[in-house]
Amino acid sequence: MLDPIVGWGKAVLLSASWFERKPSAIKRVKKILASADLNMDAVMAQTLSIKLDDIERIDRMIAIAEARRNAILREIDRHREVLSQNLRRAIQDVEDGPLQVIESTSVKERNAQ
């Protein structure tokens, strides 16, 4: 944005100083932009315009990652459901099965035999 107003070389140096947040550079940039009827909103809009492809690519990557995460969560839920059904069935089989009485013998009785 500064290049057409002050020239490329000066714009590079001034923008580097502005990026370093040097107070004198910040004042100078604001003054130059104001003289051209521009403000920081115009700079932000220009930056967005230049970086729009990058932002869209990042947005697409985020959407893909979210879709993968959602698919994984669905699979986890599906596997939990199958596991819980299998556990219920196993518990039911144990509860419905025949009971056997297991006689306990003391350690002394086992040693005596």
Side-chain angles (χ1 to χ4, degrees):
M1 302 268 322
L2 296 173
D3 182 19
I5 302 168
V6 296
W8 184 80
K10 197 171 184 180
V12 169
L13 294 174
L14 192 55
S15 63
S17 296
W18 177 86
F19 182 75
E20 292 172 3
R21 306 307 296 161
K22 292 183 179 175
S24 61
I26 293 171
K27 287 179 187 176
R28 180 99 169 104
V29 168
K30 284 183 181 180
K31 184 178 176 184
I32 292 169
L33 291 174
S35 70
D37 286 334
L38 298 171
N39 59 18
M40 289 311 276
D41 289 340
V43 174
M44 294 299 208
Q46 181 69 21
T47 304
L48 177 63
S49 173
I50 292 169
K51 297 293 184 180
L52 192 57
D53 288 339
D54 295 337
I55 293 169
E56 286 177 346
R57 186 171 44 250
I58 291 168
D59 189 49
R60 250 190 327 275
M61 289 169 37
I62 290 170
I64 290 168
E66 286 175 346
R68 287 180 183 162
R69 181 201 61 209
N70 291 340
I72 290 169
L73 291 174
R74 277 193 305 275
E75 283 299 308
I76 289 171
D77 284 343
R78 191 176 67 80
H79 285 285
R80 278 183 181 167
E81 189 172 328
V82 170
L83 176 64
S84 67
Q85 289 172 356
N86 289 340
L87 288 174
R88 282 190 204 103
R89 194 174 313 116
I91 290 170
Q92 193 66 36
D93 290 345
V94 168
E95 288 176 348
D96 292 345
L99 297 177
Q100 295 178 343
V101 176
I102 300 174
E103 294 183 27
S104 76
T105 57
S106 67
V107 175
K108 290 181 184 178
E109 290 177 15
R110 273 191 257 144
N111 289 337
Q113 295 175 352

